[in-house]
Amino acid sequence: MTTTCRKATPEDVDSLYELIRGYAEKGIMLPRSRDVLARQIDTFVVAEIDDEFVGCGSLFQLGAELVEIRSLGISEGHKGQGIGSKLVQFLEGEAREQELPKIMALTYEANFFRKNGYEIVSKDIFPEKVWTDCIHCAKQDRCDEIAVLKILN
Ligand SMILES: CC(C)(COP(=O)(O)OP(=O)(O)OC[C@H]1O[C@@H](n2cnc3c(N)ncnc32)[C@H](O)[C@@H]1OP(=O)(O)O)[C@@H](O)C(=O)NCCC(=O)NCCS
């Protein structure tokens, strides 16, 4: 059983949509329409085991040096097998290639990110995030997500 990570292609839109929809319904991810996924497909990566889709993530550029990990999710039944960590490492490789050394996430899974070398930080250090996305969020005054950051070297 080998897990591989690769950049997403237009053929992955349905799998991405279903996985993200499932977590969005539970309130732990933002929903993404098929349209948006198709338009932003270049920002997505997927994980597969023997050609079966088992997880995804995406990278969104927030600033000149800063990217955000978004839509990181592993299919039910495949969690806890190191696939999330592999996807994070793959996304970090993408960020390095794009010469974007700071990688952050807003998450309910801070311990998972800490295991992957991320530090918990204040959301206030990301004005790029706060002033573009958070201002549109219904939970902006009672945000319960934790900000995590890693500086890539
Ligand atoms: C969070 C998530 C991506 C982690 O992926 P995963 O493949 O299950 O995680 P891994 O197997 O790579 O775990 C790596 C390490 O983190 C730990 N870990 C994983 N999830 C954890 C959690 N919720 N709390 C504490 N530790 C956790 C694992 O025990 C493992 O530790 P180890 O190296 O000592 O064994 C996955 O559980 C998921 O899809 N969750 C639902 C969606 C979500 O919350 N996404 C995050 C959005 S930012």
Side-chain angles (χ1 to χ4, degrees), residues 23 72-74 79-85 107 109 111-112 115:
Y23 284 123
L72 179 71
I74 306 303
K79 289 183 190 172
Q81 297 168 22
I83 302 168
S85 301
T107 186
E109 299 288 1
N111 285 334
F112 162 75
K115 291 249 162 137

Side-chain angles (χ1 to χ4, degrees), residues 9-153:
T9 69
E11 286 73 43
D12 297 310
V13 165
D14 284 341
S15 307
L16 291 166
Y17 177 76
E18 288 304 331
L19 183 83
I20 295 169
R21 187 176 60 89
Y23 284 123
E25 279 171 2
K26 294 181 181 146
I28 50 181
M29 238 183 234
L30 288 175
R32 304 274 179 232
S33 68
R34 284 195 175 83
D35 238 32
V36 164
L37 289 170
R39 263 187 278 129
Q40 300 180 351
I41 198 71
D42 288 349
T43 67
F44 278 82
V45 302
V46 303
E48 292 177 320
I49 296 180
D50 299 336
D51 291 335
E52 181 197 354
F53 176 96
V54 291
C56 67
S58 73
L59 264 196
F60 180 81
Q61 188 170 351
L62 279 176
E65 295 200 314
L66 181 66
V67 275
E68 178 182 11
I69 293 180
R70 290 182 173 181
S71 306
L72 179 71
I74 306 303
S75 308
E76 297 295 351
H78 292 283
K79 289 183 190 172
Q81 297 168 22
I83 302 168
S85 301
K86 278 197 175 160
L87 273 173
V88 165
Q89 284 155 25
F90 192 75
L91 289 166
E92 289 171 1
E94 294 281 304
R96 276 194 192 91
E97 252 177 45
Q98 295 169 33
E99 299 183 358
L100 298 164
K102 295 183 189 171
I103 185 160
M104 62 83 69
L106 275 185
T107 186
Y108 294 113
E109 299 288 1
N111 285 334
F112 162 75
F113 279 98
R114 285 178 66 182
K115 291 249 162 137
N116 281 287
Y118 286 69
E119 250 188 278
I120 293 178
V121 293
S122 163
K123 289 185 258 293
D124 300 338
I125 70 169
F126 302 116
E128 303 95 326
K129 175 76 187 164
V130 173
W131 292 107
T132 52
D133 296 326
C134 301
I135 48 162
H136 302 297
C137 179
K139 286 203 207 165
Q140 59 171 297
D141 297 325
R142 49 190 166 88
C143 175
D144 51 358
E145 291 194 294
I146 295 166
V148 293
L149 172 70
K150 185 170 180 176
I151 312 288
L152 301 174
N153 42 39

